[in-house]
Amino acid sequence: MSVIKTIDLTKVYKQGDYEIHALDGVSVEIENGEFTAVVGPSGSGKTTLLNAIGGLDEPTSGSVFVNNEDITQLKGNQLIDFRMKHIGFVFQAYNLIPVLTAKENVGFVMLLQGTPEAERDARTTELLEAVGLGDIMKKRPNQMSGGQQQRVAVARALAPKPAYILADEPTANLDSKSTENLLDIMARLNKEEGITFIFSTHDQRVIDRARRVITMEDGKIISDERRGE
């Protein structure tokens, strides 16, 4: 069953007299529980597609359906509430809150959702230990390396157990061991909890783990390969 669907999605940026078609008529369906990598060269439209699916970037035209709801029609707080309830994000630029500790950053969305403190504490501790950061829970972002910040960002996305996780280069700045640990966690959550993952990535290790690989070029999907388990 399709849980995410885009229809003839376009995104046009203007630079002076020129138009850049970051998305050029993209129609794609993502089924529940998929573990999908979106690949392609820089400028192919990978990140723009993820941002449109997550409601972070308004398309120039076309529709994005998540759970049969056209999120391009949601505005302001409606869209914010929808994202908070359904979608987890892993950003290439981390986007951690500078004044919060690692543990507070991971638990922030759960705090907004009203998750009880004991449950929030257990979940944040479990995830930070799982990504190898059990010893820096009280550190703030400016006290962490780039790789540590990225792992905190991933743990934050996983914390509220969203139905969908959109991850833009989630393994950037991670060493091989951390990457494998992270992918193991994501694969387990995908299998055991049915979380749908969509990655934008250049990392062959992520691509090798994906069960579906969508290749983009010049704002278009040029191939779509499904693999066996």
Side-chain angles (χ1 to χ4, degrees), residues 76-88:
N77 288 337
Q78 287 180 315
L79 186 56
I80 292 169
D81 288 345
F82 187 88
R83 286 198 300 255
M84 188 170 69
K85 289 175 182 175
H86 299 287
I87 303 173

Side-chain angles (χ1 to χ4, degrees), residues 54-224:
L56 297 175
D57 199 353
E58 186 176 352
T60 304
S61 64
S63 300
V64 179
F65 289 89
V66 180
N67 284 357
N68 293 318
E69 182 158 11
D70 186 353
I71 67 169
T72 60
Q73 302 301 311
L74 300 179
K75 303 297 180 187
N77 288 337
Q78 287 180 315
L79 186 56
I80 292 169
D81 288 345
F82 187 88
R83 286 198 300 255
M84 188 170 69
K85 289 175 182 175
H86 299 287
I87 303 173
F89 297 94
V90 182
F91 300 99
Q92 194 170 355
Y94 320 134
N95 289 2
L96 300 181
I97 300 171
V99 297
L100 299 184
T101 65
K103 190 168 185 177
E104 290 166 342
N105 263 287
V106 172
F108 185 67
V109 174
M110 289 191 294
L111 178 65
L112 295 178
Q113 292 176 333
T115 304
E117 184 178 359
E119 182 182 340
R120 197 167 68 240
D121 182 72
R123 179 73 172 164
T124 53
T125 298
E126 174 195 10
L127 283 168
L128 284 168
E129 288 178 347
V131 297
L133 298 179
D135 57 343
I136 69 154
M137 291 190 192
K138 295 183 179 179
K139 287 189 176 181
R140 290 182 170 82
N142 65 358
Q143 299 171 304
M144 304 176 204
S145 68
Q148 288 172 329
Q149 290 184 63
Q150 181 70 305
R151 281 182 278 168
V152 172
V154 171
R156 177 184 60 186
L158 295 171
K161 299 183 181 179
Y164 319 107
I165 288 185
L166 307 178
D168 185 16
E169 300 286 359
T171 56
N173 305 311
L174 297 187
D175 59 29
S176 294
K177 183 178 179 182
S178 296
T179 293
E180 291 301 328
N181 287 343
L182 208 53
L183 290 172
D184 284 345
I185 292 167
M186 290 177 167
R188 177 171 57 81
L189 288 168
N190 171 255
K191 184 175 182 180
E192 295 178 1
E193 300 183 19
I195 296 174
T196 301
F197 285 82
I198 308 175
F199 304 91
S200 161
T201 187
H202 289 95
D203 191 332
Q204 190 61 46
R205 295 167 296 188
V206 179
I207 297 168
D208 288 344
R209 293 281 198 109
R211 296 196 301 276
R212 180 179 179 185
V213 178
I214 296 170
T215 304
M216 296 189 68
E217 192 172 296
D218 297 328
K220 296 177 181 288
I221 292 176
I222 61 170
S223 71
D224 188 348

Side-chain angles (χ1 to χ4, degrees), residues 1-6 28-36 53 65 67 163-165 190 194-198 211-212 214 224 226 229:
M1 181 182 72
S2 298
V3 292
I4 296 172
K5 182 178 182 180
T6 73
V28 66
E29 296 186 26
I30 304 294
E31 295 182 2
N32 190 41
E34 286 198 344
F35 204 70
T36 298
I53 290 173
F65 289 89
N67 284 357
Y164 319 107
I165 288 185
N190 171 255
I195 296 174
T196 301
F197 285 82
I198 308 175
R211 296 196 301 276
R212 180 179 179 185
I214 296 170
D224 188 348
R226 279 186 168 86
E229 293 290 336

